Amino acid sequence: MLRWNGCGVCDVMAVGTEVRRVPSLDIVPPDTNCVDAVSNEHNRTGHRAPQASGPGLGNPDSTKSPAFCIRHRPPQWIGAPYALRFRTQLGSAGQTMTPTASLHHRLVCLAGAMARSVAGQGDRSPAVVLAAVSGGADSTFLLRMLHQALQDTACTVHVCHVDHGYRQDSAADAASVKSLAARLNLPFHGLELPDADRTPVRNRQARWREGRYRLLAETARRLAAPGQTAVIATGHHAGDQVETLLMNLIRGTHLSGLRGMEEWSTLAAPCRPIRQADVEVLLWRPLLAWTPDDIRSCLKAWNERWEEDRSNLDESHLRNRVRHRLVPQLAALRTDTVGFLANQMELWRPDIQALEQIHADNLAQSELSLPQPDVPRANQSVIIRLSALRDAPPWQQRGMLAQAATRLHRNRQISAARLNELCRQLKTADRSCGPRPWFGDLCWSVWHRPPARVFDLPVVKDLISLHKRGTMPFPVNAPRLPPGWRHAPIPLAGTELRLPGWTLSAIRYERPPSVSKMRADPYPWHVYLDLASLEAHGNSIRLEPAMPQLRLQPVGMHAGQKQIRHILRDDRIHVSLRADWPVVYTEGGDPVWVCGLRQAAAYAVREPGRPVLRLRWCPCP
């Protein structure tokens, strides 16, 4: 906050979550002995604010005398400038703050805040800051401020422009950004969006955004050394915050859609590069407290040109309709609509984060971990005890489901209507079902009374899985045949067959243990077979996926036969696991053993002392 007192003194204050010791600043006439406004911490760390030169806006190219100068006052404890808020008051001496002076001080404080924010990352302090510059006003202003704020720090500023190739004059934007980078003596990187990301889709802007951030992350990782941190800086401002808020409200957002963007964050999973490296990439938005009008005012005072993207006038996109129709109507009701709503989002954020932490804790208590060594679980599925979800009040149900969806899709906002609809369907889900589509590429599945003995699970009644399309809803630790598996012969003389995560061993026993001892072993993934009965059908057996229509008479069934699909259903194997379930057949195709579940009575050991073949599945790394 810029506040005049009766002596012509302006106190620079900032609202944030951290308290730092920084000096107050005096506004004095130009003929007074002036020094730069540099805080004690700046002197200690080597970071300093930009020079207070030029006609009140820090323009290094101007030859006019400054409208004012800045000098130190004794340091005071004030808030750290993470979210800067400024206003002016009339002093008792009748002095007023001119717009030029106000913007100048905001630039000084923004430059200092940038330097402190980068240095305040501690062990994660970046070595490379990659400025994403499109050539528009916001990114041009961002680059100018980064150049001034970080020129005396250990960070190296690089300029990156991504050409989407959807406009014929897009090459002019790249040339303009390259010229600006050369004028500031900064390295420039020109990138083009791959053809795969240019494919016309329903939401092409989301596809472009994911492809753009993926290219930026790959470039940032390439510039930083292993073990270092790289930062992608973007020009998102208060206007973008307000537009995102209004768009989320129009779509019917959950509570998480009200907090907006944060200054520091990590990249969402779809935007990360395919090849991970030993370089952490952070996303930095240092201009969230600045309105578009203030940004353009500074650029005009600097005589800095920028490019206008004509696609921003295309009202077929919701964001452009909100920007050109809704925001002006709100501004007619309240002139400072953008700044006011952006400030409200700053006030809401800690309350929303505290509530989200409660939901995250509830989700952690209700979540069930199903480790599967050969299946990557990260960002693929979230499995919850359905009883814990049903017993919670509705607001907690929505919060837990929203937390699970956020874990799977960090860059997608989920609507309250979708959450309510899923809660309603889960109330009546009394049998196994799924996968069923939810929204985007997310699906949900319910597993009714999973067989705990077969999968070594805790005894639970029902499970629900939120998962991505095409992935396993319940990646249980059980043998599964790889995709495209045909068959594998298993010689009756004995062998060992390796699959991902599991090994099937076949051992021939001429002198087997007693029948009672063979039946006493509770491990479900082994079986003893009568060797003479198998040799009557050939010298080997085969391992193949389950053939649902084939029949066998299980041990314990006195009459009739049962189809394999009914065995899988009656033993409560989820439908997503049935297609790849391993089954042992004779050479003639007669089912011998539905692995882990049922053994054919025709090949069971009946008489003691006869040779047997033992089949046993064992987990392997």
Side-chain angles (χ1 to χ4, degrees), residues 2 49-51 53 56-59 70 84 86 100-114 141 144-145 148-149 287 290 294-295 297-299 301-302:
L2 297 178
Q51 298 289 333
S53 60
L57 283 174
N59 187 356
I70 308 173
L84 301 177
F86 299 90
T100 300
S102 175
L103 282 177
H104 179 89
H105 276 281
R106 293 192 63 183
L107 291 172
V108 171
C109 293
L110 176 61
M114 283 181 168
F141 177 75
R144 287 288 302 266
M145 292 307 303
Q148 283 196 0
L287 304 182
W290 283 70
D294 290 342
I295 290 175
S297 297
C298 291
L299 292 178
W302 290 338

Side-chain angles (χ1 to χ4, degrees), residues 25 29 101 122 188 248 266 341 596 607:
L25 305 175
F188 172 78
N248 290 339
T266 57
L341 291 179
E607 301 178 8

Side-chain angles (χ1 to χ4, degrees), residues 252-543:
T253 182
H254 183 56
L255 197 61
S256 59
L258 303 180
R259 67 179 186 178
M261 298 175 286
E262 299 183 24
E263 181 182 358
W264 289 94
S265 62
T266 57
L267 287 176
C271 303
R272 296 172 188 160
I274 298 176
R275 295 183 178 180
Q276 297 290 332
D278 189 21
V279 175
E280 184 180 14
V281 178
L282 301 177
L283 193 59
W284 185 28
R285 305 179 182 95
L287 304 182
L288 292 180
W290 283 70
T291 64
D293 293 339
D294 290 342
I295 290 175
R296 283 167 169 76
S297 297
C298 291
L299 292 178
K300 291 177 181 178
W302 290 338
N303 294 322
E304 186 68 68
R305 294 180 60 255
W306 68 86
E307 303 293 334
E308 292 289 354
D309 188 352
R310 293 197 307 271
S311 64
N312 292 332
L313 302 177
D314 183 7
E315 294 192 0
S316 63
H317 303 299
L318 177 59
R319 181 175 292 274
N320 290 340
R321 293 197 298 273
V322 169
R323 178 180 302 167
H324 299 299
R325 297 184 187 180
L326 184 56
V327 173
Q329 293 182 11
L330 294 176
L333 301 176
R334 185 184 181 109
T335 55
D336 59 339
T337 296
V338 173
F340 173 75
L341 291 179
N343 189 43
Q344 288 297 114
M345 297 172 74
E346 290 287 341
L347 298 177
W348 294 338
R349 181 174 292 117
D351 298 342
I352 295 175
Q353 289 176 339
L355 187 58
E356 287 180 340
Q357 186 59 48
I358 295 176
H359 295 320
D361 294 341
N362 292 335
L363 177 63
Q365 295 176 3
S366 306
E367 190 175 0
L368 183 66
S369 177
L370 301 180
Q372 173 71 319
D374 62 323
V375 178
R377 282 289 312 282
N379 301 321
Q380 297 297 319
S381 63
V382 178
I383 302 172
I384 311 172
R385 294 178 176 87
L386 189 54
S387 59
L389 190 65
R390 285 172 171 169
D391 295 341
W395 66 275
Q396 287 189 6
Q397 293 180 17
R398 293 191 296 268
M400 293 166 63
L401 293 176
Q403 284 293 311
T406 302
R407 187 188 305 179
L408 300 174
H409 249 323
R410 289 189 61 248
N411 63 331
R412 292 292 297 271
Q413 291 293 339
I414 183 171
S415 66
R418 295 185 185 276
L419 292 172
N420 285 331
E421 177 62 20
L422 181 56
C423 291
R424 185 189 64 80
Q425 295 184 23
L426 293 179
K427 284 183 179 180
T428 58
D430 56 354
R431 59 187 179 87
S432 297
C433 61
R436 294 184 177 178
W438 188 19
F439 76 97
D441 64 345
L442 294 186
C443 303
W444 63 275
S445 302
V446 171
W447 196 355
H448 180 61
R449 295 171 57 203
R453 185 183 69 89
V454 176
F455 300 109
D456 192 22
L457 299 175
V459 178
V460 292
K461 185 176 181 181
D462 295 322
L463 295 175
I464 175 177
S465 172
L466 303 179
H467 55 93
K468 292 187 177 181
R469 185 186 300 115
T471 61
M472 290 181 58
F474 302 96
V476 291
N477 197 15
R480 295 180 68 246
L481 299 180
W485 179 275
R486 294 297 182 182
H487 68 275
I490 303 175
L492 297 181
T495 187
E496 187 174 88
L497 188 63
R498 285 187 171 271
L499 275 75
W502 287 80
T503 299
L504 176 62
S505 61
I507 302 178
R508 181 185 181 118
Y509 288 97
E510 297 294 339
R511 295 182 179 181
S514 63
V515 176
S516 59
K517 189 174 182 180
M518 287 187 288
R519 294 176 179 175
D521 192 345
Y523 185 62
W525 295 102
H526 87 293
V527 68
Y528 289 91
L529 302 173
D530 184 71
L531 193 57
S533 301
L534 295 175
E535 289 176 342
H537 295 272
N539 296 323
S540 64
I541 53 180
R542 298 183 306 179
L543 181 67

